[in-house]
Amino acid sequence: MLPLLVALVLSTLATLNALPNGAPTSVCDNMLPFHGGGIPPLTTKTPFTITPQSSVIGSGQTLKLDIESFPANIVFKGYMLQARQVDPPNSIVGHFVSTDTDAIKLIECQGPNDTATHTSTSQKRDLTLEWTAPEGFVGDVVFNATIAQDYDKFWVGIPSDPVRVVASQTTVAPGSSPTKRPATTTTVPPYRPPQTSAPVAVDPIYAGCGESKGCFGFPDGCVDSQDCRAVVTIAVLGARYVFELKSGHNRPAYVAFGLSNDAKMGDDSVLECVPEQGTVNAYASWTNVGPYGSTRVGVPQNIFQVLEKSYNDGTIYCKLERNAVSTVKGQKFDLMSDKFHLLLAAGSSVESTNVNYHDIGRHVSGTPQSLAEVGPVQGSSKLLLRLHGAFMITAWIGTASLGILLARYFRQTWVGSQMCGKDQWFAWHRFLMVLTWALTVAGVVVIFVEIGGWSQVRNPHAILGVVTTVLCFLQPLGAFFRPHPGSSKRPWFNWLHWLGGNLAHVIAIVAIFFAVQLQKAELPDWMDFILVAFVAFHVFMHLIFSIFSWVQIGGCVSERRSGQRVTSFPMADMTPSRNSMSSSERKQDAAFSGFRKSMLFLYILIVLGLVIAMVVIVVLAPIETAYNNIKEQIMN
């Protein structure tokens, strides 16, 4: 316990007093501030620029240069500035002149006064320095700077536009006089120190995960790869329970951590970290069952203490200590004795007394956990979610599409043989539609078991899914009570059956498009392109079958209605009845039947391939998400 307290005190002192009198000579080569804790420099675009007031000067002459910001008046606390020779690279040349002893301190790296730094960590805005080129030196120089906006927010190696130093007797061309010019975009590569660059620092929140503290984040596996969209760590220090929360994915409006008795949202004690007016505020809140949501009203705010907090570049971080025993809304939360499901969420919007829907992400631990456990925290299984996606894709991209195609274009031609006492087209149509019905029912059951109720996501996927399911249930019921083929009501049934089936098919595919946007599905955006490819192919095949059917009957379906089967749909038949054909027409029909079967075989192969591809994507979506997160982290 004592070593931990000593380390905490030393770390705090280092934070408050880190290099208050300027950069030391030990960082002359890499210009990397030693701020302790392995804090890495920012890799985002810096708002600061180093602007020489002239692009050409003579050797031995003095040049003024400005440290500026865009937008203007952004403050910074520390800096380090050097002039480095372009060829050969990295040699520090010239010396600075102390024109403001309150803001400029000169140190010796490779020569007297060749490096300028700050004298204190007081806030600064625009700063002008003077640099003198060496006598007899000719060549190009680039000014490189490290600028610290705060202790944990600094940029290393900010380059200026190149400045040409010419012989002192050389006449400086008109237009290159030492007048201040606006900052311009430079193609000079970023500064790289001559020695091995400092190793990329690990985000300190992951340090000790699985060893001295428990860590939990999403998506799955992100703690190991250290690239979580949101993460919470739990450290137990004697009777103290310390939580760290962090999220920077898509500039969240909050990150929250909850303790639950049942792994479902509702009646859970939550701690929220919310950036407000440039700082991060922490709140205790409570989740409601109906309607789903959270509130801070009536929740005691004295059950925790804020140890640290920050909000930099859209990333929320806070470190909280929660009371070991607390009572919220009449429920006792004993962190020492009880086990809890862990809830972690992040979202993009908040209100005055609550946070809104967790549209960035939400994760729940798979089993209740003692907070003192430091091993890996496993998230809840998403098997049922994956099964739901696989069932629905197989049903409505695969079996329903093929069943509709068979009923539309093969009910008059695929009648030469029977299966189970029915024409082949009808037997396969019924089998495929029963399979569609069974897969849809299974998909609905598993998703309701997974969610435990109605979805609160602001996405029409759930509503469209329910409409599709209702229509899917009505279809077999209507078929069971269908009128006799000779009944006057049969045409009404045929129209309603056709309309219900096609409407369910269209709505189901639209629902699958909306499913791609669901955060919980973790599907890649390019899944939309596969769905578009299927829709285009499906429509194309309908056109092909329709065109060749019209060609087969000479473009005049109405003239062949006398031999039409009475069991056909009331819309125009795509093929005439074989009983009404002459011998020559039957030969022609046989040729077209061969073509139709070839096209059907092609359709089955391609749709089967698309279904398999989409099911694999649904099942392996978390792996794809993790890969994209790692790739994004590397690129940044």
Side-chain angles (χ1 to χ4, degrees):
M1 184 68 181
L2 181 59
L4 289 172
L5 290 175
V6 172
L8 180 61
V9 172
L10 292 177
S11 174
T12 303
L13 290 175
T15 302
L16 295 175
N17 301 291
L19 308 178
N21 299 317
T25 56
S26 59
V27 298
C28 284
D29 290 334
N30 57 25
M31 303 183 74
L32 184 66
F34 181 71
H35 285 181
I39 299 176
L42 295 176
T43 57
T44 56
K45 183 178 180 180
T46 175
F48 301 100
T49 59
I50 311 302
T51 309
Q53 295 187 11
S54 175
S55 60
V56 180
I57 66 167
S59 58
Q61 294 182 353
T62 298
L63 169 71
K64 290 185 178 182
L65 58 153
D66 304 300
I67 300 178
E68 302 176 307
S69 66
F70 182 82
N73 297 322
I74 297 179
V75 299
F76 60 97
K77 295 182 178 180
Y79 69 93
M80 184 179 185
L81 182 65
Q82 297 173 341
R84 291 185 176 256
Q85 190 174 349
V86 174
D87 188 19
N90 297 322
S91 296
I92 305 175
V93 296
H95 66 274
F96 288 90
V97 179
S98 181
T99 58
D100 184 355
T101 56
D102 292 333
I104 302 172
K105 175 183 176 180
L106 306 181
I107 61 175
E108 179 178 342
C109 284
Q110 296 180 5
N113 300 334
D114 61 357
T115 300
T117 185
H118 56 279
T119 59
S120 69
T121 55
S122 61
Q123 292 186 348
K124 308 166 185 63
R125 287 183 172 84
D126 294 350
L127 182 64
T128 300
L129 299 93
E130 293 185 3
W131 174 82
T132 301
E135 293 287 349
F137 173 81
V138 175
D140 292 337
V141 297
V142 171
F143 292 91
N144 288 107
T146 290
I147 297 181
Q149 192 174 6
D150 212 335
Y151 175 76
D152 57 353
K153 189 175 184 180
F154 55 88
W155 294 265
V156 174
I158 303 171
S160 71
D161 286 348
V163 174
R164 173 154 296 181
V165 180
V166 299
S168 57
Q169 66 271 20
T170 302
T171 302
V172 177
S176 297
S177 58
T179 57
K180 186 173 180 179
R181 57 189 176 86
T184 57
T185 302
T186 177
T187 57
V188 177
Y191 165 72
R192 295 290 184 269
Q195 62 200 55
T196 303
S197 59
V200 177
V202 175
D203 190 332
I205 198 170
Y206 297 103
C209 285
E211 298 175 358
S212 60
K213 61 185 181 182
C215 300
F216 182 58
F218 62 82
D220 288 330
C222 69
V223 173
D224 293 333
S225 57
Q226 301 184 354
D227 60 349
C228 294
R229 295 181 181 179
V231 63
V232 60
T233 71
I234 308 106
V236 181
L237 309 176
R240 299 173 58 213
Y241 288 78
V242 178
F243 302 88
E244 291 180 283
L245 288 84
K246 188 172 187 178
S247 180
H249 182 77
N250 288 346
R251 303 186 71 87
Y254 73 88
V255 57
F257 167 71
L259 301 177
S260 174
N261 292 317
D262 56 6
K264 302 293 183 181
M265 183 175 175
D267 295 336
D268 311 312
S269 179
V270 178
L271 297 180
E272 308 166 353
C273 293
V274 183
E276 295 174 329
Q277 298 180 349
T279 187
V280 174
N281 293 324
Y283 302 98
S285 64
W286 185 258
T287 60
N288 299 315
V289 178
Y292 284 111
S294 67
T295 182
R296 302 171 195 151
V297 177
V299 178
Q301 300 298 315
N302 60 351
I303 63 173
F304 70 95
Q305 299 81 40
V306 179
L307 303 181
E308 296 179 27
K309 59 183 180 180
S310 66
Y311 183 65
N312 295 317
D313 291 331
T315 298
I316 306 170
Y317 171 80
C318 64
K319 188 174 184 179
L320 312 173
E321 179 181 344
R322 176 165 177 157
N323 297 349
V325 180
S326 58
T327 301
V328 183
K329 294 286 187 176
Q331 292 193 26
K332 182 179 179 181
F333 289 83
D334 188 341
L335 309 190
M336 295 183 291
S337 304
D338 298 336
K339 291 186 177 183
F340 302 95
H341 286 277
L342 311 183
L343 309 178
L344 179 64
S348 60
S349 64
V350 297
E351 296 182 17
S352 59
T353 60
N354 62 275
V355 299
N356 289 328
Y357 180 73
H358 41 78
D359 53 352
I360 291 178
R362 171 182 175 268
H363 208 32
V364 184
S365 62
T367 58
Q369 177 135 347
S370 170
L371 298 186
E373 297 177 12
V374 297
V377 181
Q378 299 296 330
S380 58
S381 172
K382 295 185 178 180
L383 174 62
L384 297 181
L385 184 70
R386 305 294 167 209
L387 286 176
H388 169 76
F391 288 160
M392 291 306 192
I393 287 174
T394 303
W396 295 101
I397 301 294
T399 57
S401 301
L402 182 57
I404 291 173
L405 199 77
L406 286 174
R408 180 69 174 144
Y409 300 105
F410 288 84
R411 66 181 180 274
Q412 292 293 332
T413 58
W414 205 354
V415 295
S417 61
Q418 292 190 337
M419 184 171 64
C420 300
K422 300 292 183 180
D423 289 340
Q424 285 278 2
W425 77 267
F426 181 78
W428 282 106
H429 170 75
R430 183 172 58 182
F431 168 76
L432 291 169
M433 288 313 184
V434 169
L435 186 56
T436 299
W437 183 88
L439 289 169
T440 301
V441 171
V444 170
V445 170
V446 297
I447 199 61
F448 268 97
V449 171
E450 167 70 15
I451 297 177
W454 181 255
S455 173
Q456 299 299 308
V457 182
R458 297 172 182 173
N459 183 302
H461 172 78
I463 295 176
L464 294 174
V466 169
V467 173
T468 300
T469 304
V470 171
L471 291 173
C472 184
F473 260 88
L474 293 177
Q475 285 295 94
L477 291 177
F480 181 79
F481 293 105
R482 66 183 180 273
H484 186 272
S487 171
S488 60
K489 297 181 180 179
R490 183 58 178 248
W492 288 100
F493 162 78
N494 289 340
W495 274 109
L496 291 174
H497 189 71
W498 173 87
L499 180 62
N502 282 276
L503 192 59
H505 190 222
V506 171
I507 295 175
I509 293 175
V510 173
I512 295 174
F513 270 100
F514 278 108
V516 178
Q517 310 304 321
L518 292 172
Q519 179 276 328
K520 195 170 184 178
E522 297 180 340
L523 294 173
D525 292 337
W526 47 264
M527 179 79 165
D528 283 333
F529 293 105
I530 299 180
L531 291 171
V532 169
F534 162 75
V535 172
F537 176 71
H538 184 72
V539 172
F540 173 76
M541 291 301 292
H542 271 277
L543 290 175
I544 292 295
F545 278 117
S546 297
I547 291 172
F548 275 86
S549 295
W550 279 98
V551 170
Q552 178 184 1
I553 59 176
C556 186
V557 177
S558 59
E559 295 180 2
R560 305 301 308 234
R561 301 295 290 182
S562 60
Q564 179 182 343
R565 292 169 57 94
V566 293
T567 57
S568 63
F569 287 92
M571 54 286 286
D573 287 336
M574 292 294 101
T575 56
S577 172
R578 294 182 62 88
N579 296 330
S580 63
M581 294 180 183
S582 65
S583 176
S584 61
E585 288 174 331
R586 293 193 180 194
K587 292 181 180 179
Q588 183 184 23
D589 178 67
F592 278 106
S593 296
F595 170 79
R596 279 193 298 269
K597 289 179 181 179
S598 299
M599 295 301 293
L600 177 63
F601 181 71
L602 175 65
Y603 181 86
I604 293 173
L605 284 180
I606 293 180
V607 170
L608 180 62
L610 289 173
V611 169
I612 292 175
M614 284 187 274
V615 169
V616 169
I617 292 170
V618 168
V619 173
L620 301 182
I623 298 177
E624 172 71 17
T625 302
Y627 168 78
N628 288 336
N629 290 338
I630 295 173
K631 182 179 178 181
E632 180 180 350
Q633 186 182 46
I634 294 174
M635 294 298 291
N636 291 335

